[in-house]
Amino acid sequence: MKQKIVIKVQMNCEKCKIKAMKIVAATEGVESVSVEGKDNDQLVVIGDRVDSTTLTSKLRKKVGHAELVSVNEVKKPAEKPVEKAKPEKVEVVPEKKPKVDNSEKFYTGCPPAQVFVYERVHHCECESNADPCSIL
């Protein structure tokens, strides 16, 4: 059940408005927050399953004086029934495959694997029979 909550909050400066909106937006279930009213001192919160008393007490603790003005249920506008369009008949034409005269021209498969063999060549002035590892 969506509800519209209006809370009057004492917001003296822009910093207080931003802080109040952040607190409300961080609350679980809130979908939108806006500032309204004659002096831009009312927060209008729209959400689903939002606890209005807990939200008001959070604003009192963090921002300043806050007063719960109203809690109303948001009603959805009347929906018009949508007529379903009748599906059109579509004919499926099978694709014609090209005739292949010479099957060697067309290659279907993986390319042949290429194998590279590298030989380790030891170029050093030391003995040719000695192990190239000098850690021993």
Side-chain angles (χ1 to χ4, degrees), residues 50-61:
V50 179
D51 189 7
S52 58
T53 55
T54 306
L55 185 59
T56 306
S57 64
K58 277 184 186 179
L59 289 169
R60 276 190 200 122
K61 290 178 183 177

Side-chain angles (χ1 to χ4, degrees), residues 67-83:
E67 179 184 343
L68 184 60
V69 177
S70 67
V71 178
N72 297 322
E73 184 178 343
V74 176
K75 296 180 181 178
K76 295 180 181 177
E79 296 179 12
K80 296 180 181 178
V82 179
E83 294 181 17

Side-chain angles (χ1 to χ4, degrees), residues 8-28:
K8 186 174 182 179
V9 184
Q10 181 182 357
M11 298 180 285
N12 299 329
C13 60
E14 192 67 30
K15 185 177 178 182
C16 293
K17 287 181 185 177
I18 293 170
K19 187 175 182 180
M21 290 185 76
K22 282 184 180 180
I23 291 168
V24 174
T27 305
E28 186 177 339

